[in-house]
Amino acid sequence: MLHTHPARIASGSSRGRLAPVAFLLLLSACDIPTSAPNWETRWLVRTEGMSISVGSLLPGQVTESADEFVFSVAGGAIVRTLGDICQPCAPLHGLFAPKPAFTTTMQSQIPFPVDLDSIVLTRGSIRIRVTNGMSFDPIRPSAAPGSAHGQITITVRNGSMVLGVHTIDGAATDFAPGATLLETVTFTQAGLPRTIGGTVGLEVTMTSPAGDPVMIDTASFVTTEAADAAVGASAAMVRVQDRMVSATPMTLDLAGIDAELTDRVQRGSLLLDIDNPFAVGGTMTATLSAPGVNLVRALQVVPGASQVTLAYSGAELRSLFGNATVTISVAGPLSAVPAGVLTLLPNRQLTASGRLEIHVSTNSPEDAP
């Protein structure tokens, strides 16, 4: 505790020895205080810690799991009619005729989530759903013994970089009309980790040999899409601009403080020690809350380590007492400092520890009702 004693204490001095009478006369002329001395004490109430995880800064479809980021994608649907993929079929539309041979390549792009610039890829796989809406099996088009079989080759790319290839072979798998195949394309480990960004490309090549007579319907179709993906990354390069985040709440235990003490609270401050490992900053809002009470302050967050002091009047602090627990919540926008792409790593978090400093005096507070 720190104590100050503002009450005046007079003193006197003389170059020689003072006679007893002179000493008594001098003593009677001194300004001797007649009231009790005033003192002020500083009390500290510790808080629980708070944190903001790296996951709060990640865009949608990216989550933190153990020591990596997981990037989930789906979509990139490709729908092609028989007329689109089989030119020799066009003049046979509506006829019962031998199925012509054809080869086609279908492509689509699955964009990265908004604000995700790139990731450092460490592993991954994508499940691809292929549905046959045509009147024949394109990779087993003939029931004749020894007849040719076709295949479907699925390639996943990032630009010109091939991430994984998977083949559905008609010799081992049938693809009857109305059937749906769910196939997994596993990324090759060669060359990993590697940085990828922009889009995930889906390329499907179908080779279908000539087959038995069927009803040719050029309006029938085949559909391919990414059902889901599980992609692991050791880092994510993200654009963070006014990302709204919130911290885990802190609590203050104010129970058990005597009213004779709380009634004399003059002023106080919430002292926060912030450790911010992210290159982000912004003006957030810190709120001291109790039933019927919300004390709001602007909280400036900067990269690195910092100390912040939030001041409160005696009246504001006295409104909190009588509540067993007071909650401190922090929320608001954060942006990259400087603006641009921010590299985020797993298992990082912004943390803060705090303490409430309360100044108590023997005098009644000036702002007391």
Side-chain angles (χ1 to χ4, degrees):
M1 296 183 183
L2 300 180
H3 303 275
T4 58
H5 302 275
R8 290 182 299 162
I9 300 176
S11 62
S13 63
S14 175
R15 291 186 179 182
R17 294 176 61 87
L18 295 176
V21 174
F23 177 76
L24 292 174
L25 290 174
L26 179 62
L27 183 61
S28 66
C30 291
D31 184 9
I32 300 177
T34 59
S35 60
N38 177 35
W39 52 261
E40 183 174 283
T41 302
R42 180 172 65 98
W43 291 72
L44 291 177
V45 181
R46 298 286 178 180
T47 73
E48 296 179 353
M50 75 168 190
S51 64
I52 298 174
S53 70
V54 66
S56 300
L57 302 176
L58 296 172
Q61 298 177 260
V62 183
T63 58
E64 184 183 17
S65 178
D67 59 350
E68 68 176 2
F69 296 131
V70 176
F71 173 29
S72 300
V73 296
I78 307 170
V79 181
R80 296 291 184 272
T81 67
L82 180 60
D84 294 331
I85 63 178
C86 177
Q87 292 184 355
C89 295
L92 303 176
H93 176 66
L95 301 178
F96 190 81
K99 185 203 80 70
F102 65 88
T103 297
T104 186
T105 297
M106 301 168 283
Q107 296 177 321
S108 71
Q109 300 288 331
I110 306 170
F112 272 34
V114 175
D115 294 331
L116 179 62
D117 184 80
S118 56
I119 59 174
V120 179
L121 177 68
T122 55
R123 63 171 184 86
S125 64
I126 295 182
R127 292 204 300 172
I128 305 297
R129 182 185 293 113
V130 188
T131 301
N132 180 12
M134 300 179 293
S135 60
F136 56 88
D137 184 335
I139 56 178
R140 283 189 182 180
S142 176
S147 58
H149 296 113
Q151 63 181 24
I152 301 173
T153 300
I154 304 169
T155 304
V156 178
R157 300 178 180 273
N158 179 239
S160 61
M161 184 186 305
V162 174
L163 301 177
V165 179
H166 177 75
T167 298
I168 306 170
D169 190 347
T173 304
D174 65 273
F175 192 24
T180 295
L181 300 177
L182 190 59
E183 304 290 323
T184 300
V185 182
T186 301
F187 296 172
T188 58
Q189 290 297 310
L192 296 183
R194 62 178 61 168
T195 300
I196 67 171
T199 60
V200 175
L202 182 60
E203 181 180 285
V204 180
T205 298
M206 180 181 292
T207 301
S208 179
D212 296 337
V214 293
M215 179 59 69
I216 304 297
D217 179 4
T218 56
S220 61
F221 57 88
V222 62
T223 301
T224 306
E225 63 180 335
D228 57 71
V231 178
S234 59
M237 281 58 83
V238 178
R239 296 184 183 274
V240 178
Q241 180 63 44
D242 293 330
R243 181 69 54 80
M244 296 300 297
V245 302
S246 59
T248 56
M250 296 186 289
T251 59
L252 281 167
D253 185 1
L254 300 181
I257 302 180
D258 195 280
E260 292 186 1
L261 182 67
T262 60
D263 288 347
R264 296 182 180 275
V265 171
Q266 304 286 337
R267 66 189 184 282
S269 301
L270 180 61
L271 310 176
L272 295 175
D273 296 317
I274 302 175
D275 184 9
N276 178 12
F278 311 120
V280 297
T283 302
M284 305 183 74
T285 298
T287 305
L288 276 173
S289 300
V293 181
N294 284 293
L295 306 179
V296 180
R297 295 291 186 272
L299 172 62
Q300 194 66 37
V301 176
V302 298
S306 62
Q307 293 182 325
V308 179
T309 300
L310 306 179
Y312 301 89
S313 69
E316 288 177 316
L317 293 176
R318 290 193 299 275
S319 69
L320 298 174
F321 295 109
N323 298 286
T325 301
V326 175
T327 301
I328 306 170
S329 58
V330 174
L334 291 177
S335 299
V337 180
V341 177
L342 175 68
T343 298
L344 299 177
L345 303 174
N347 298 321
R348 302 291 177 90
Q349 60 181 0
L350 182 156
T351 60
S353 59
R355 55 205 181 277
L356 184 64
E357 181 182 74
I358 303 172
H359 291 264
V360 181
S361 170
T362 53
N363 288 343
S364 296
E366 295 180 0
D367 57 359

